[in-house]
Amino acid sequence: QVQLVESGGGLVQAGGSLRLSCAASGRTFSTYTMGWFRQAPGKEREFVAAIMGNPTDTYYLDSVKVRFTISRNNAKNTMYLQMNSLKPEDTAVYYCAARSSPAIVGLRRDSAYDYWGQGTQVTVSS
């Protein structure tokens, strides 16, 4: 069982930055594929980024690829999402998620993840 707790959300002006954190419980954090998803009002939850157990192996939604950076510190059981040049369309509840499978196939699908955090609100004003 893995418990995930997000933090770092808030209100920021367009062009600003935020760093989200996801703290995980458990002794096998380094073996989990970790992901960030977001859900805007009235929209489906969408994939934002994922990072494999090897922290150099990362994947992004095309629209955030040059603005967001996903990372992890396995010694601290924590994953991060550095978000720069934020836009109003980035406004959403951001969720972190963990999956025990190391497979690349499916990592952009929320149904592929086993554990979820409660979410943190990110609001970008224009």
Side-chain angles (χ1 to χ4, degrees):
Q1 189 77 7
V2 176
Q3 292 185 324
L4 304 173
V5 179
E6 303 98 333
S7 62
L11 173 64
V12 64
Q13 289 188 331
S17 298
L18 283 174
R19 187 174 85 153
L20 305 183
S21 298
C22 174
S25 66
R27 293 177 292 177
T28 58
F29 175 77
S30 63
T31 67
Y32 281 83
T33 296
M34 300 296 296
W36 287 101
F37 288 76
R38 67 186 181 186
Q39 188 167 22
K43 295 187 176 182
E44 293 187 352
R45 187 160 55 187
E46 70 174 349
F47 170 82
V48 175
I51 185 166
M52 309 302 282
N54 177 352
T56 64
D57 199 358
T58 58
Y59 302 84
Y60 293 94
L61 177 68
D62 283 348
S63 63
V64 308
K65 193 177 298 186
V66 297
R67 300 184 295 121
F68 292 7
T69 302
I70 190 171
S71 62
R72 67 192 297 165
N73 184 328
N74 289 335
K76 294 185 176 181
N77 279 17
T78 304
M79 173 181 66
Y80 305 97
L81 185 68
Q82 178 67 43
M83 305 186 294
N84 298 328
S85 302
L86 282 161
K87 304 176 180 180
E89 51 263 43
D90 295 317
T91 294
V93 177
Y94 283 70
Y95 298 90
C96 71
R99 66 182 300 208
S100 55
S101 169
I104 295 174
V105 173
L107 64 76
R108 296 174 185 266
R109 294 200 303 266
D110 58 2
S111 60
Y113 289 77
D114 305 303
Y115 305 102
W116 291 85
Q118 81 289 350
T120 186
Q121 176 71 47
V122 171
T123 303
V124 185
S125 63
S126 57

